[in-house]
DNA sequence: CATGAATGAGTCTTCATTCAT
DNA sequence: CATGAATGAAGACTCATTCAT
């Protein structure tokens, strides 16, 4: 029965993901169960809590995000990698369709996040070496840029994808060197980043 | 009695605003009532529904936003107005402390939003005339820029305000002319904008 | 509406008491509500928790117990008071019909319990002065004697009241002086008593 | 396979007994199964119902009780047997650690109970012949005395064993002859005793 | 036979909204 | 008008029991 069980687990996860995409946390466990074609008890057998279920949604999301980041880092032309990275992150986020909101804070995302930031640091270093990025931009700045674009994607993906694409163009351009004025505010640190993630809008229901 | 009634209405609104700032929609009507020093019945006398009450929170918020925009437009140096405008919007949003989320979509915000966009158009035209902005930026692009920064402010205002400030610096810089590549995506239209607003994350509880 | 509210509160309490007598904690809040002729919400308005409701059941029970103890202490003949006390406690417990189980431990019972033990101490002192009790019996011993008889009453009150009455006769007799052998075990202390109360069988449902 | 099956049955029983001692009925069948190292299905193969399992717990308990009673009856000095019996019952109950509550009523206990009462009758007759017990005490009275002490043991065994030991001393003393007043209530009959057992507090979960 | 996955009725609790006083 | 009591539909979670593998 391992096999059936695994299938049901996937169904539950799929149902939850669907609902999360549609309504961002505002669904009942019963809905998940019935959409997955199982009883509530089955949901609770696999996930001790509704929140645990939501957390589990984060795993494939971040795994994919990390894969995308690493693929960008593997791009043949180092000088292009930063732009490729940012655009790829946005595309994947749009394709995935998850409203990332709460998920960045899921326990499961922690190690993946770290690896993600590390990759981002490598990419930025290369872009800097190639003179393809403003000198005053730091790794976490790029993280914030991506974070901000995902917020826009979440909100506009279905209704008006043109918005985030145009905004993305602008953002990408903003990172390029040339005639920039020095940034007045100090760079974003890891601690700031943690705070950002921890404070990201909670879409869960009470 | 009119006077008492009006006072009660204000109290309720003030209490709701406080709670909204603290917990973003995750509060009960009883809490609003008790913080306002009235009974629930009184809240329901003034506002037919909890959602109606939340909508009403949007009015002063947008009025203030509009005032801020107009003040920026009144800035003595036309060439500076765009930057002043963007920074002022961010500051006011941060000061106001409202998580704007749902509020842009409130019925009450409609006329104010239009006026806001009109003002923004004027400011942008002046900036363009003064050569202080990329030629390919359109009014709604600025709207989106401001919208995106407010998302960051909402999330980081308490925990790490440095984040949004630095990001704001970068954004402001990104709008300046000089060496930019043409934007690949078409400008944001009014329709896109409406969609953005309508799809903004709903922070209401179920 | 104060009046109605108070009436409803009483009804809820009465319904809960009835059910507690019948089934000792094994009832649902919905049952309490429907037997009281109100909705569940009304129950929860008055009592934040099912356990809080059960605790509240303890109050009149212990108040009555204390009253009974004090009445016994007021008995005209000091020498008789101890026996009168023990018999009265048993009678009242039987009349009240509460399975005392959990109630001794209710927060509300604390101060009443202390007063109860104090009264018991006075009565015992008088009985000793009158030579009507074994010299080696201490106040908490009497408390335990009463506690043990209530256990029997709880279990047999409906089915075979003769049992506890006969046992009570025996117990009362056992406290009288004359030919007794010294008790081998040290007296019960206040700490022991607290432990007894705290460990009394929990009849609440999970 | 018989052998495995029997082993499993014992394991389940042992696990259930452990849990019953720890939490008196407030455990799940899954807990029993996992502590026994089997699946729930296996538990249900051996015991049709959770209650049936609990009933089965009574068997060794009563067998031991009976053994203890018979050992007391075999005590070399007939005159001492009653006291030895009572003390031994208490000790065994305390050692065994079962909260006897529900168990006296288990179907399985019926024949053992009868034998137990018979033994008790023999012991009492001997004590009476030796003039070591009040003349008005009947067999079932002794049963009730033991029953009442077990209630105290259940409640205080872990927290304050001194309590039941002292109470036991008092009870033992109370049965001795000398200066007693006649008991006002009629003796306990077999029917009363059955009622007592049947009404003993139900510790089962809903 | 053993396993443990699946079930779903049942429990407590919350809260927007209505309505008697 | 104001009050706050009453309502009851949900919702998250538990667990004895059944049943497919």
């Amino acid at each position: 029965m391992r096999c059936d069980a695994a299938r049901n687990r996937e169904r539950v996860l799929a149902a939850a993901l669907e609902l999360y995409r549609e309504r961002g946390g505002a669904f009942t466990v019963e809905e998940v169960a019935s959409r997955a074609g199982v009883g509530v008890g089955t949901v609770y057998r696999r996930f001790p809590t509704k929140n645990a279920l939501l957390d589990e949604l984060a795993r494939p999301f971040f795994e994919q995000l990390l894969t995308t980041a690493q693929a960008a880092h593997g791009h043949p032309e180092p000088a292009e990698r930063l732009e490729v990275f940012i655009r790829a992150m946005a595309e994947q986020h749009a394709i995935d369709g998850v409203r990332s909101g709460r998920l960045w804070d899921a326990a499961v995302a922690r190690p993946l996040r770290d690896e993600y930031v590390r990759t981002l640091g490598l990419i930025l270093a290369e872009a800097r070496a190639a003179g393809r990025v403003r000198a005053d931009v730091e790794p976490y700045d790029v993280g914030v840029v991506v974070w901000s674009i995902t917020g826009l994607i979440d909100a506009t993906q279905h209704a008006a994808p043109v918005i985030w694409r145009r905004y993305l163009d602008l953002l990408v351009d903003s990172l390029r060197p040339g005639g920039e004025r020095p940034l007045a505010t100090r760079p974003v640190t890891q601690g700031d980043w943690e705070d950002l993630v921890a404070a990201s809008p909670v879409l869960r229901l009470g």
Side-chain angles (χ1 to χ4, degrees), chain A:
Chain A
M1 193 165 276
R2 252 305 161 47
C3 169
D4 279 26
R7 178 145 27 99
N8 275 343
R9 189 176 192 281
E10 290 319 307
R11 275 189 197 164
V12 167
L13 232 25
L17 185 56
E18 243 181 77
L19 285 162
Y20 190 77
R21 281 173 179 163
E22 288 172 21
R23 317 218 292 266
F27 52 82
T28 66
V29 176
E30 292 233 351
E31 275 178 297
V32 176
S34 79
R35 197 175 286 208
V38 302
V40 266
T42 303
V43 176
Y44 277 97
R45 166 167 285 273
R46 302 299 164 202
F47 308 96
T49 268
K50 187 186 176 187
N51 274 350
L53 172 56
L54 291 182
D55 280 353
E56 210 56 27
L57 257 32
R59 192 197 301 278
F61 173 72
F62 280 99
E63 282 169 356
Q64 183 58 46
L65 227 47
L66 189 54
T67 303
T68 303
Q70 287 166 339
H73 187 221
H75 188 274
E77 188 52 67
E80 304 294 338
R81 286 176 184 164
L82 181 60
E83 183 173 337
V84 166
F85 167 77
I86 294 174
R87 290 191 183 276
M89 294 305 291
E91 287 296 341
Q92 193 245 307
H93 189 88
I95 288 167
D96 200 86
V98 169
R99 303 195 207 165
S100 61
R102 182 62 183 56
L103 299 181
W104 284 87
D105 193 28
V108 74
R110 179 60 52 98
L112 300 168
R113 265 164 41 200
D114 293 346
E115 179 61 14
Y116 165 79
V117 170
R118 210 180 61 77
T119 304
L120 187 162
L122 297 176
I123 292 172
L124 181 62
E126 291 160 352
R128 191 173 289 161
R132 292 294 288 267
V133 68
R134 292 174 60 134
D136 51 4
V137 163
E138 306 273 343
Y140 283 109
D141 292 334
V142 181
V144 172
V145 163
V146 171
W147 195 94
S148 91
I149 189 74
T150 60
L152 210 48
I153 293 172
D154 288 343
T156 64
Q157 166 66 356
H158 294 298
V162 71
I163 290 181
W164 69 260
R165 291 183 180 281
R166 182 160 174 99
Y167 185 68
L168 176 60
D169 286 344
L170 193 65
L171 273 181
V172 165
D173 227 28
S174 79
L175 296 175
R176 302 179 65 230
E180 71 264 21
R181 288 178 301 179
L183 295 171
T185 311
R186 70 161 168 82
V188 172
T189 65
Q190 177 173 1
D192 298 328
W193 173 255
E194 297 292 338
D195 288 339
L196 166 61
V197 166
S200 65
V202 175
L203 289 181
R204 289 178 183 174
L205 278 200

